[in-house]
Amino acid sequence: MTAATLQARKNRTAMLALLGAAAMLGLGYAAVPLYQLFCQVTGFGGTTQRASESDADIAARQAASGAARTISVRFDANTAGDVPWSFHPEQPTDTVTIGQRDMAIYIAKNNSNERITGTATFNVEPEQAGKYFNKIQCFCFTEQVLEPGQQVRMPVLYYVDPKALDDPNMDGVEQITLSYTFHRALDLAE
C-alpha cells in the first residue's frame, strides 16, 4: 500500500468519525424537542394537553349529556433553586365537574432585587390523567418576567375531558395533581 493510499484511508476514516460525532451531537439536541412532542401528543409522563375554546365547548356539551361527575384537582407549585420567587396556588385544591371549564390562580412574587425571567414546566399525576387534563390558557405557555419585588396572579383555564370516564385506567382516580416548577430562563433583554 502506498503512502498516498494510506493517507487517503486515514482522511476518509477521520471524516467518517467527524460526521458520526456531528450526527450524535445533532441527535442530542433534537432529543429534547422530539421527546416533548411525543409527550404532548400521547400524554406520556403526565404531560397535559393544550386545548382550544372550541374543544372546551365540545367537552362541556359531552359532560352535560351525561350525569355530572366531579373530581378533585390539587395544585402544586415549586421553584428551582436559582429562582428566588415565592410561588404558590391561591387555593390548594378544587372540586371540578368533569367536562366543565374551571380556573386556578397561581401567585408568584420576585423576592430578589433583580429582574428575573422564568419558565414553568408542568406535569399531571397520576400519569394516566395527563391526556385528559386540557389547558386552554396557561402562564406556562410563555415566559414570565418579574421585576424586583413584583407580584403577579397567573390564571390557568382548564378542563378534564369527559373521555376520562370511559378509560379503565382512570378507574379509582379521585384526585388529579397539577404541578408546576419555575426555572430561570435566558432573559434576552439583559
Side-chain angles (χ1 to χ4, degrees):
M1 188 176 304
T2 68
T5 305
L6 185 58
Q7 187 60 41
R9 289 182 74 187
K10 286 181 181 179
N11 288 344
R12 186 174 56 229
T13 302
M15 184 58 72
L16 288 173
L18 183 63
L19 287 172
M24 297 286 260
L25 183 65
L27 284 173
Y29 278 103
V32 171
L34 289 174
Y35 180 73
Q36 287 174 335
L37 179 63
F38 170 77
C39 290
Q40 288 171 351
V41 168
T42 64
F44 182 75
T47 302
T48 63
Q49 303 300 301
R50 189 169 181 173
S52 67
E53 290 284 344
S54 61
D55 293 334
D57 292 338
I58 292 167
R61 283 194 298 279
Q62 288 173 342
S65 65
R69 293 251 329 258
T70 60
I71 192 163
S72 173
V73 179
R74 185 176 81 82
F75 305 104
D76 180 51
N78 306 283
T79 57
D82 64 342
V83 180
W85 290 2
S86 302
F87 178 53
H88 60 90
E90 195 169 64
Q91 64 183 52
T93 60
D94 192 11
T95 301
V96 300
T97 301
I98 293 177
Q100 298 294 314
R101 279 180 256 195
D102 208 331
M103 184 185 311
I105 304 289
Y106 282 79
I107 299 169
K109 181 178 181 184
N110 182 350
N111 297 316
S112 75
N113 59 1
E114 65 177 308
R115 174 187 183 175
I116 296 178
T117 301
T119 185
T121 58
F122 54 86
N123 74 318
V124 168
E125 289 293 329
E127 240 177 71
Q128 67 267 31
K131 63 182 172 182
Y132 302 112
F133 196 94
N134 294 275
K135 292 186 285 185
I136 302 164
Q137 294 178 348
C138 182
F139 59 87
C140 62
F141 296 158
T142 59
E143 291 182 343
Q144 302 299 313
V145 179
L146 271 66
E147 299 296 332
Q150 181 182 12
Q151 179 172 306
V152 294
R153 296 177 80 233
M154 299 180 292
V156 179
L157 187 59
Y158 68 94
Y159 69 93
V160 178
D161 194 318
K163 292 176 187 168
L165 299 172
D166 300 327
D167 186 342
N169 292 321
M170 290 292 291
D171 288 349
V173 174
E174 297 177 4
Q175 185 174 67
I176 295 173
T177 300
L178 174 61
S179 181
Y180 289 99
T181 302
F182 260 106
H183 301 272
R184 190 180 286 256
L186 176 64
D187 189 350
L188 299 176
E190 291 180 346

